[in-house]
Amino acid sequence: APGDSVWHQRPVSKELWTEGFWPGILWYAYEYSKDESILEAAKGYTEVLEFLSEMPAYDHDLGFVMFCSYGNGYRLTGDERYKEIILATADRLAELYNPAVGTILSWPREVPAFGGHNTIMDNMMNLEMMFWAAKNGGNKSLYDVAVRHAEKTMECHFREDGGCYHVAVYDTLSGDFIRGCTHQGYADSSLWARGQSWAIYGYTVVYRETGDKTYLDFAVNIADMIMSKVTTDDAIPYWDYDAPVLEDTPRDASAAAITACGLLELSTFAPEGQKYFDYAEKILKSLSSEQYLAAPGENQGFVLMHSTGSLAHGSEIDVPLNYADYYYLEGLQRYMKLKGIEYKNL
Ligand code: GLY
């Protein structure tokens, strides 16, 4: 919270969606620095999460938690044990898939509150682990689950203008779409900023993994919508595009960082790729300015300031968040790769 000068660490838990980001940050930091002490820390903070691959999924966040940690860990070490854990986790996540609906149940515990099978836009981010598992020795049907989830979400979860609801509620038995609503946004039909970021990142991944041009066109549409809705000069959005803007309306740097990652990948596929690259570059430059970057030593090591976790719940407003840092680092890495900048030249 603003003014805090100490870390808030908690024991690992099946209920924390953010606990894969810190190991993920350490993996990116190790990749950059090749520092052995960071490698040891990355392994340690990753391996405490293994229990999640061995129990029924608490919710869809399993993908965030395990792919940012073990996924990066496997990418950088090739440790076969990590791979087995990812494959097991992808199977656990697939247990939340409801074939009558065609999507993964995001929050089993919220079924009574929403009155049906609920799927949130954030869930698009967890398809990448399923695609990866299907391609790397896991259950091949995970590919079909991921594609069907993306297809049904595309059909039901979006408004005419290309923006999305946060939550879609479906009839558990018939699979019919009941309604779109919000959990963390300003209003049911408003554009919660981070939700739009999950959408652009998620659908770009679906195009990468399927090669189906429908998803490329869809991702382009989301990207254009985001770029048309952002009203700030520095391209860092307010927490919800439709919330009234007052003097103290907070930004969400995390939404910007996630969008930058999505746009950078999209720029490699889309006919007008340069436009998306340029916008992502603008976001990264803003995030790298004094306005957003914590001064060295501030925030106990967090990199970015000015993110918003859930204003709708009065929680984590205008604060540093570990997922903002994670996607900022990922965005910088994507940017450097596309520009041909090597770490050793820095
Ligand atoms: N996935 C939860 C959030 O974006 O806040």
Side-chain angles (χ1 to χ4, degrees), residues 163-234:
C164 63
Y165 300 108
H166 186 191
V167 186
V169 183
Y170 300 97
D171 184 294
T172 302
L173 299 178
S174 69
D176 291 344
F177 175 69
I178 300 174
R179 68 195 163 99
C181 55
T182 198
H183 180 65
Q184 281 159 260
Y186 173 68
D188 283 342
S189 61
S190 72
L191 296 175
W192 176 52
R194 201 160 54 254
Q196 315 313 308
S197 307
W198 296 139
I200 182 59
Y201 191 124
Y203 276 97
T204 304
V205 169
V206 177
Y207 174 66
R208 181 222 299 154
E209 295 300 329
T210 62
D212 181 338
K213 199 169 163 301
T214 312
Y215 295 112
L216 176 60
D217 294 343
F218 198 65
V220 161
N221 209 36
I222 300 167
D224 290 342
M225 179 279 301
I226 290 178
M227 289 162 57
S228 74
K229 296 279 179 189
V230 173
T231 53
T232 53
D233 290 342
D234 61 8

Side-chain angles (χ1 to χ4, degrees), residues 17 60-61 64 107 120 122-123 166 184 192 194-195 198 254 258 308-310 316 323:
W17 81 277
H60 76 106
D61 288 325
F64 281 112
W107 289 325
I120 65 171
D122 326 24
N123 204 147
H166 186 191
Q184 281 159 260
W192 176 52
R194 201 160 54 254
W198 296 139
S254 76
I258 298 156
T308 297
S310 185
E316 300 175 329
Y323 46 97

